[in-house]
Amino acid sequence: MGMAGESQNWVLMVTAQTPTNIAVIKYWGKRDESLILPVNDSISVTLDPDHLCTTTTVAVSSSFQQDRMWLNGKEIPLSGGRYQNCLREIRNRASDVEDKKQGIRITKEDWGKLHLHIASYNNFPTAAGLASSAAGFACLVFALAKLMNVKEDESKLSAIARQGSGSACRSLYGGFVKWKMGREEDGNDSLAVQLVNEEHWDDLFIIIAVVSSRQKETSSTTGMRESVQTSLLLQHRAKEVVPKRILQMEEAIRNRDFASFAQLTCADSNQFHAVCLDTSPPIFYMNDTSHRIISIIEKWNRSEETPQVAYTFDAGPNAVLIARNRKTAASLIQRLLYYFPPNTDDLSSYIIGDKSILQDAGLEGIKDVEALLPPPEIKDNIPSQKYNGDVSYFICTRPGRGPVLLSDEGQALLNPVTGLPK
Amino acid sequence: MGMAGESQNWVLMVTAQTPTNIAVIKYWGKRDESLILPVNDSISVTLDPDHLCTTTTVAVSSSFQQDRMWLNGKEIPLSGGRYQNCLREIRNRASDVEDKKQGIRITKEDWGKLHLHIASYNNFPTAAGLASSAAGFACLVFALAKLMNVKEDESKLSAIARQGSGSACRSLYGGFVKWKMGREEDGNDSLAVQLVNEEHWDDLFIIIAVVSSRQKETSSTTGMRESVQTSLLLQHRAKEVVPKRILQMEEAIRNRDFASFAQLTCADSNQFHAVCLDTSPPIFYMNDTSHRIISIIEKWNRSEETPQVAYTFDAGPNAVLIARNRKTAASLIQRLLYYFPPNTDDLSSYIIGDKSILQDAGLEGIKDVEALLPPPEIKDNIPSQKYNGDVSYFICTRPGRGPVLLSDEGQALLNPVTGLPK
C-alpha cells in the first residue's frame, strides 16, 4: 500500500450535512428497479438543513476490519444493494488523497482495499415520514466523495445517490432542483440539476404538519412497484401529464409566480395520490386529517384573490404547506392552530423549527391559541369543529441550501482516534 | 276536453315500486350537462327493492290545479329542470286512457292540460347516500308512463329517467344493467339495457356499510362537473380504460366469474375515486372508515385462493360489499361486526334488511358479537383495534328485480278521493 502513517491508528474523516427535499412535481414509478430510474422527471424544493437534515461522518483507516455503519447511534447492516451500489460507485471514482498533517497518503488503488466507518444522524424523527432516506443517501455519497477526493460535480454525484434512494439525488443541491429522468439504459443521464438556488425565491415559508396516524403505511418502494404494475393511469400521468407540468413548474419557479406554483404543486400532489388509489390493492397515504388540511387550504385559497398556500403530501399523511411569504405563513399557523390546537399547554414542543413565526402570528402562549377566532373564510355561523391530537407537531422552515462540509471536528459523529461513534 | 266523469272529483292513479342500483363500472362525468349524457358506459347491479326502493304514486284529476309533488311526506317544488324534463318527455308520449270503472276517458291531447299529483317515498334514509335519486326518478318515469299509457319499453323510458338523474336509467331493470353512453346529440341512444336478469346470478349477497361521516360531501352533479373540467385523468379513463372494462365486466357477469367481477368492480371503484382526487379542488368521498373496510376486504381476499368479496363506493363513504355467496356473506358479517361492533346492545337495528344472515353467521345477539375472534388472515398477534361507532348500520340485501306496479290500492301514497297524501 502507498499509505504512510506513524502508526496503524490513523483515521481520516469527513463530516457533511445534507438537506432533505420535498417534491412539488412528484416521482412515482421506476422504469428500472435496480438502477432506480424513474418514469418521469420530478422537481423538488430543498428544505433548510437547520430544521431537517442528515449529518454524516465517514472515516477510513487501515485499522478498520470491515465497512460499518451507524444510523442515529444504532449499528445497521450495510449489506443491502442500495448501500453497496453507492459504495461501489464512489470507490470506482476515488482519487489519490494526501493528508500532510497526519502524514497519510492514500492512492486511487488503495480505496478498494480500505474499509469505511459511517455514522449518520437525522435531526428530525426518522419515523415521521419526512424523506429521511433522501437526505441520508445524499449525505453518504457527498461525504464519501469528499473523503475519497472524487472529482465529479454534484450532478454526477446525484446519479450515484439516486442508486441509494431515488429522491436522494435531489438533495445534492439547495433551492429548486430537477431530477431529469434520463434516457440512457445505464442511468448515467438520470441525475439532478439545480434550477435556482435558495436565494432566488426566499420569500417562501414552509410549515410541515406531522400528522398522527394509526395505519401502517406501504413503503414507497413497494407502493410504486405496485402502481407501475397495476395502475392504468400511471403511464398516462408519466407520459402525457408530467412533461407539460415540468415545463410549467420551471417557468413558475423562474418567475416566482406563486399562483402557478401553488396550482401545479397541489394538482400534482393530488394526482400522485390518485395514482396510488388507482393501484391494486389501493394505497392510501392521506388520511382524514390530511383531507381536512387540504380542505382548510383550498377554502382559504379560494376566498382570496390568489392562492396563499400550496400543499403537497408524500408517501404518508404529513402535509407540507408552502406559504407565499412570512406574512401568509403567520396567517397559516393561526389557522392550523385554530383547527388543530395542541393537546397540552406546551406550545414550544408543538411548534418546532423556526418558532419566530409564532411572534409574527401574535401567539406567545396557549392562551393566545385558545383565543383564536375562526378564519374569516368560514362564513356559516356553525362553530367549527376542533381536532386536538390529530397533528403531532408542526415544523416551521423554509427553502434551504445544499450539502456542506462541516470542518469543525466537534460536529463529527465518529471519534477521530478510534473511528467509532462518539 | 274528451274527459267524461260523473263529477269533477274523479282521480286516476298508479303506484309503482322501483329499485335503486349500484354501479360496478362507474358513471363519472357528463359530456352534455342538460341532457345528462355520460362520457362512458356504466354497468350496475339492481338492489332488492324489499330493502332499498322508492314507491311512487302518480295521480291525475281534472280537479288538480297544478302539478305537485311530495317526497317522504313533504311537499317539494317541481320547478327544477330535471323534473320538468321528465314530465315533458312523458307527456309527449302519452296515449289515450280509458278507465271504464270510473267512467273516465283521457285522450292523448288531454294530458298536456291535466295536472298531476306525485307522492314518493324511500324505504331507506334519503341522506344515507344510497342513490335515492336513481330510484326516485326511475319510479317517477315508470309510474307516469303507466298512468299515461306510454307504449314505449323500459329501455326508451330509461332515456327519459336519465334526464332526471343519470343513474336513474339503470333502475328500469332488475339484475345487471348497462347504461350505453350513446353517440347521438339528442341523447336518444343514451339508455339502459338489461344484461341479465336477477335470476342469472342469484348466489350473490350484498352488505352495505352505512358509514358515519362528519364531512359535508360534494354533490355528485357538482363533483362530476369539476372532474370533467379539471381532471387530467378523466378523459383517459373514459376513452381508454372503461371501454375495455365494460367488455370484461359483461363477460364476467355472463360467466358468473366472481374473481374477474370482483377485480373489475374494486379497480373501477378505486379509479373513480382516483379521478375525484385528481379534481381541483380534490374531492374526497371515502374517509378513514372506508379505507379501513377496503383494507379488511383486500387482506381477506388475498389470504384466500380467489376473491370472496367485491367492494364499491359511490359519491360518499358508504361501502357496498358484494359477497360471492351466502356462506361468504356470513363470514363477511362476522368480520364486519368484529371490527365495527355496534355502540349499543341492539343488534336488530344495527343490521337491517335480510337479517337472516345473522343466523347463518351464528350471531344471535350482542354476546355472540363480543365473542367473535379475529379473522384468521390477521397473522400478527397484536390485538386488532375496534372501531365502534364508525359504521352507523349495515343493510343486508341481494340483487333484485326491476320496477313493478303495485295494484293493491292500500299501498298507494295518495288518497284515491282527494288525490292528496294519505
Side-chain angles (χ1 to χ4, degrees), chain A residues 212-217 284 287 317, chain B residues 288 291-292 295 387:
Chain A
S212 318
S213 170
R214 299 191 288 186
Q215 300 290 125
K216 198 171 69 181
E217 279 138 27
F284 313 111
N287 63 19
Chain B
D288 284 351
H291 292 175
R292 209 159 275 138
S295 298
Y387 302 95

Side-chain angles (χ1 to χ4, degrees), chain A residues 214-215 232-233 236-237 241 245 267 270-271 273-274 277-282 284 286-288 291-292 294-295 298 302 311 385 387, chain B residues 214-215 232-233 236-237 241 245 267 270-271 273-274 277-282 284 286-288 291-292 294-295 298 302 311 385 387:
Chain A
R214 299 191 288 186
Q215 300 290 125
L232 299 179
L233 303 178
H236 181 74
R237 158 174 168 75
V241 180
R245 280 193 180 154
N270 291 329
Q271 188 171 83
H273 291 279
L277 189 42
D278 187 52
T279 299
S280 176
F284 313 111
M286 295 199 288
N287 63 19
D288 285 352
H291 293 174
R292 208 159 275 137
I294 289 180
S295 299
E298 288 282 356
R302 264 146 228 274
Y311 56 80
Q385 201 160 353
Y387 302 94
Chain B
R214 299 191 288 187
Q215 300 291 123
L232 298 180
L233 302 178
H236 180 74
R237 161 175 164 73
V241 179
R245 279 192 181 155
N270 291 329
Q271 188 170 83
H273 291 279
L277 189 42
D278 187 53
T279 299
S280 175
F284 312 111
M286 296 199 288
N287 64 18
D288 284 351
H291 292 175
R292 209 159 275 138
I294 290 180
S295 298
E298 288 281 358
R302 265 145 229 274
Y311 56 80
Q385 201 160 352
Y387 302 95

Side-chain angles (χ1 to χ4, degrees), chain A residues 10-17 55-61 64 67-70 78 83 87 90 111 115-121 136-149 405-406 411-416 419-420:
Chain A
W10 61 268
V11 173
L12 190 66
M13 359 187 267
V14 160
T15 299
Q17 184 197 60
T55 303
T56 300
T57 299
V58 290
V60 64
S61 168
F64 294 168
D67 292 340
R68 297 178 72 182
M69 178 163 178
W70 295 264
L78 269 173
Y83 284 110
L87 292 176
I90 286 287
W111 286 108
H115 293 292
L116 300 163
H117 282 187
I118 302 162
S120 196
Y121 172 79
F137 277 104
C139 206
L140 175 69
V141 167
F142 183 80
L144 286 175
K146 296 301 164 193
L147 179 74
M148 298 190 190
N149 194 19
L405 280 178
L406 301 180
Q411 292 179 280
L413 302 173
L414 295 171
N415 181 303
L420 292 169

